Amino acid sequence: EGVLPQEYTALKLKVLEWAPKAAEAIKGKIPEDASVYLCPATLRPETMYGQVCCFVGPALRYGVFKASEKEYFVITKRAARNMAYQGIFEKDGVPEKAVDIQGSDLIGTLVHAPLSFHPQVRVLPMETVLATKGTGVVTSVPSDSPDDYAMVTELAKKPEYYGIKKEWAELEIIPIIQTPTSDLLAPHLVKKLKIASPKDAKQLQEAKELAYKEGFYQGVMKVGDFKGEKVEVAKPKVREQLIKRGEAFAYAE
Ligand code: A2H
């Protein structure tokens, strides 16, 4: 790990409809007039137009933490502690956990994805989500993230195995960023490096590095308010816009 803190953008994906087990877990424990959000941490806010689902680790434990009277966040306990320390929650001190939830119980929950061409997306499983990084929640942008592309491809291939509906993993992948190589850089690299599944960790690492460099330094926005601008320039602008609208907040670790 580097010495400098990682500056994430934590997105607020509002829960529209809970999966049955999650609904049971939260019943009576959250005020009726409060909103609950899944809060994925991302380094690529400018790609949020391309969200198609939201990943959680099925084996991980999450909490529903009270951010304010009206807002609750679904994140790991570790992230809640960091957020409390960074003054993100209304009340200082130990974060207040309203509910404990197993990642697998969140699968199928319907959330609102800010900026996305697909405003409503499902929570889906990804076994490689780390409990030790970010919030333990990862928003999925298969156009620009090789990990995300490999995972949604796998989910669409074996929906029964993962206990999901096939259509949840089959939302259209829309080009967001044009680079010299492609306007769907992640799918292009996954095919080129012959990555067959999310378990091909070594090739995925390589694809991830290639995609990040080319996307950041040579990418141009194809969509959104900053269409035609370089990714380098658009990234902080999209981030600011999301934060101003109350759809995201700064989170560091
Ligand atoms: B990124 P770094 Cl389009 N476990 O967001 C595994 N991966 C996690 C995670 C966790 N607990 N928390 C965050 N991440 C992912 C978008 C994206 C991302 C794109 C392209 C590349 C990319 C959409 N997914 O990341 O180790 C999140 O995915 C490639 C580095 O802190 C987050 O940004 O550098 C990124 O990893 C943070 O990884």
Side-chain angles (χ1 to χ4, degrees):
E1 290 294 300
V3 186
L4 291 171
Q6 195 74 272
E7 267 295 327
Y8 293 106
T9 304
L11 219 64
K12 289 163 68 178
L13 275 60
K14 186 177 175 172
V15 173
L16 304 174
E17 181 192 303
W18 290 104
K21 281 183 184 159
E24 215 168 282
I26 71 143
K27 204 169 163 194
K29 294 188 177 147
I30 303 216
E32 288 286 326
D33 61 345
S35 298
V36 184
Y37 302 87
L38 270 83
C39 297
T42 181
L43 293 173
R44 302 285 312 268
E46 78 284 5
T47 67
M48 295 298 110
Y49 303 97
Q51 295 174 84
V52 301
C53 61
C54 176
F55 293 131
V56 296
L60 303 189
R61 303 288 307 174
Y62 296 85
V64 184
F65 291 90
K66 185 175 176 178
S68 70
E69 290 302 323
K70 293 281 164 66
E71 297 196 326
Y72 288 71
F73 295 168
V74 180
I75 48 179
T76 57
K77 184 175 174 184
R78 181 189 152 278
R81 281 208 203 101
N82 288 338
M83 285 184 192
Y85 189 72
Q86 289 169 38
I88 288 163
F89 296 157
E90 199 170 79
K91 251 172 68 188
D92 288 335
V94 181
E96 192 179 312
K97 185 168 65 184
V99 187
D100 255 309
I101 294 191
Q102 177 80 19
S104 54
D105 293 346
L106 290 165
I107 308 296
T109 295
L110 187 70
V111 294
H112 171 257
L115 283 188
S116 181
F117 284 108
H118 303 292
Q120 303 197 355
V121 303
R122 295 285 173 172
V123 177
L124 299 178
M126 186 189 218
E127 270 130 26
T128 53
V129 172
L130 302 168
T132 51
K133 184 194 285 192
T135 58
V137 181
V138 179
T139 194
S140 175
V141 183
S143 55
D144 292 275
S145 163
D147 281 330
D148 298 357
Y149 182 71
M151 193 64 223
V152 291
T153 306
E154 166 82 3
L155 289 168
K157 254 189 237 164
K158 303 179 189 164
E160 306 82 13
Y161 174 80
Y162 289 100
I164 62 158
K165 288 192 182 153
K166 190 171 164 66
E167 64 261 31
W168 294 350
E170 282 188 327
L171 302 193
E172 190 190 349
I173 300 171
I174 296 166
I176 305 300
I177 291 168
Q178 180 73 57
T179 76
T181 309
S182 174
D183 65 2
L184 286 171
L185 189 55
H188 168 83
L189 287 168
V190 165
K191 280 163 206 157
K192 189 174 159 198
L193 298 179
K194 301 191 165 61
I195 295 165
S197 94
K199 294 205 172 93
D200 294 344
K202 216 175 138 224
Q203 295 105 296
L204 272 171
Q205 184 58 37
E206 190 187 341
K208 196 152 70 176
E209 279 161 26
L210 290 170
Y212 197 86
K213 276 192 201 124
E214 185 169 330
F216 187 67
Y217 294 106
Q218 304 188 70
V220 173
M221 299 302 299
K222 270 197 106 161
V223 300
D225 286 352
F226 310 105
K227 186 173 167 177
E229 296 189 29
K230 291 171 77 178
V231 164
E232 255 178 292
V233 175
K235 185 202 282 273
K237 293 186 184 174
V238 176
R239 184 178 203 247
E240 266 324 294
Q241 199 177 55
L242 283 164
I243 292 173
K244 269 211 187 108
R245 290 178 181 162
E247 294 179 325
F249 54 91
Y251 171 65
E253 60 180 42

